[in-house]
């Protein structure tokens, strides 16, 4: 019985570590592409549906879309720092 309990605890610990790695990878990709939780269309922390921010007004160099509302995505910040204008990405 003790051995079974130890194996279950080890499996649970392994599962938590695997989940933490997956979350870290997802967060890194979201930051890389400027994706927010609202972009994923899921519920917010309060359990309410995320607000639709409107139609996309800008298309990034890799096809990323942004409505012009909310936090400016990383690709837009990089383009502005490189001397481009948001108008260069207008749809």
């Amino acid at each position: 019985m003790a051995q079974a309990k130890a194996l279950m605890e080890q499996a649970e610990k392994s599962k938590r570590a695997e989940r933490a790695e997956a979350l870290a990878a997802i967060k890194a990709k979201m930051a890389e592409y400027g994706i927010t939780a609202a972009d994923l269309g899921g519920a917010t922390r309060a359990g309410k549906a995320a607000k639709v921010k409107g139609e996309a007004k800008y298309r990034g160099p890799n096809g990323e879309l942004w409505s012009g509302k909310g936090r400016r995505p990383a690709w837009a910040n990089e383009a502005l720092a490189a001397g481009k204008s948001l108008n260069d990405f207008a749809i």
Side-chain angles (χ1 to χ4, degrees):
M1 204 57 148
Q3 187 179 14
K5 184 177 178 180
L7 287 173
M8 291 295 286
E9 288 175 0
Q10 183 180 3
E12 188 63 34
K13 183 178 179 182
S14 176
K15 188 176 180 179
R16 281 194 305 268
E18 198 173 304
R19 183 177 187 276
E21 289 176 18
L23 283 173
I26 292 168
K27 286 179 182 179
K29 285 292 184 185
M30 288 177 71
E32 180 180 345
Y33 292 102
I35 298 171
T36 65
D39 294 331
L40 300 177
T44 62
R45 287 183 184 228
K48 297 179 182 177
K51 291 182 182 179
V52 176
K53 294 186 178 181
E55 292 185 30
K57 294 181 182 178
Y58 304 99
R59 183 181 312 276
N62 297 318
E64 309 94 327
L65 297 175
W66 180 46
S67 67
K69 297 179 182 178
R71 193 180 87 192
R72 188 180 306 137
W75 64 263
N77 289 331
E78 292 167 4
L80 291 172
K84 295 197 175 200
S85 166
L86 283 179
N87 290 331
D88 296 335
F89 300 98
I91 296 177

